[in-house]
Amino acid sequence: MAPWNGLIERLRPKSYGRKHPLILINGLAEQHESWFRNRRFWSRYFDVHTPNILVYDGAALHRRIEKKEPITVDYLVDQLYLYVDQFVQNPPYHLVASSLGGKVAVEFAVRYPELVDRVVLLCPSGMGDEEKLPIMEGVRKQDMYTVVKSVFHRTRTVDRDIVKYYKLAINSRKWKTGLLRTVRGTLEYTVRAKMKDVRAMTLLVTGDKDRICDPATAEQAAHELPNGHFLSIPNCGHAPQIERHWLINRLVVHYLTAPNPTAKPRWTKLLLAKPTRASK
């Protein structure tokens, strides 16, 4: 019973006391929409922050566009540093990042290793493969079905409010301009060569049906992490934090709190329909 007692103690929310800061870094989707199935759960265990470093119709992004300055990964890393330095100020931080946010997290972890505790990368881009963005075709044509199909393996898991929000967003010229400029400035940027320099303990998770970032390339990149773990989730697309949130929520808590975390703790067998590939 000792291991189970330790697990229960770690997963029991504290009624009072300073919690470890957890920074959520979104991909091309905007912040709060990305983590709507995770933030409340993780807030029971961590001091959760969702810095809005990407707001496509926001003033900061469009000031940069008006100055004809690109929206780059370096710019996003600088924005993230500014946020944690000014408004969190309690390092080291846990990072959980999705898609494009994976590039930002890897760069941040390499640039500021003293500020980073542990990292979870969810279907990260920039692993060296040629990224496919069928989502952009849907945005250009204002076709939400194409957008949803490109991100999710099981489209029935998509919340109607997400579809409603993006239907409105893609009708905004300002929002679309911000999105397209961000894609233009970040798409070709890779962090594969820097994986070996990430000192933090890092879990890389991919969906085996990801149509945007190649799962095989992600697995190869994970093995280049000095202190890394890898997990492939079966029958899952590019957004496991939404499509398999019941697994991701608990897995992140385990990975960020366990003394010796693994990509596949024994209890995950109860949450997966079939075995997954996992490795240290």
Side-chain angles (χ1 to χ4, degrees), residues 22-43 48-54 80 94-105 119-124 152 159 162 165-166 203 205 238-246 248-249 252 256:
L22 169 59
I23 313 298
L24 306 182
I25 312 171
N26 63 294
L28 288 174
E30 292 177 286
Q31 281 290 359
H32 300 293
E33 289 74 25
S34 300
W35 308 107
F36 76 103
R37 286 185 175 166
N38 322 110
R39 187 174 179 179
R40 181 180 296 179
F41 187 92
W42 291 336
S43 292
V48 178
H49 296 263
T50 55
N52 278 317
I53 60 176
L54 272 181
L80 177 59
H94 293 318
L95 305 179
V96 175
S98 169
S99 194
L100 169 61
K103 297 182 184 183
V104 178
V119 181
V120 178
L121 304 173
L122 304 174
C123 297
F152 297 93
D159 189 274
I162 296 180
Y165 171 80
Y166 284 107
L203 170 63
V205 178
H238 188 63
Q241 73 273 24
I242 298 176
E243 197 166 353
R244 293 294 187 95
H245 66 278
W246 32 266
I248 295 299
N249 285 349
V252 164
L256 300 184

Side-chain angles (χ1 to χ4, degrees), residues 17 19 66 68 115 143 146 169 182 191 228 234 237 241 275:
K19 299 175 183 177
E66 288 166 8
K68 301 188 184 306
L115 299 183
D143 177 5
T146 298
T182 300
V191 293
Q241 73 273 24

Side-chain angles (χ1 to χ4, degrees), residues 54-71:
L54 272 181
V55 181
Y56 295 126
D57 56 358
L61 210 66
H62 282 271
R63 282 196 298 268
R64 194 168 177 86
I65 292 172
E66 288 166 8
K67 294 178 182 177
K68 301 188 184 306
E69 296 175 343
I71 310 302

Side-chain angles (χ1 to χ4, degrees), residues 261-278:
T262 175
K264 191 179 179 184
R266 283 180 289 180
W267 49 263
T268 57
K269 294 179 182 179
L270 303 175
L271 299 178
L272 291 171
K274 63 180 181 179
T276 64
R277 298 191 311 274

Side-chain angles (χ1 to χ4, degrees), residues 192-207:
R192 179 66 176 270
K194 298 185 179 181
M195 299 296 275
K196 67 182 187 307
D197 300 319
V198 178
R199 289 170 18 193
M201 187 177 293
T202 302
L203 170 63
L204 195 157
V205 178
T206 188

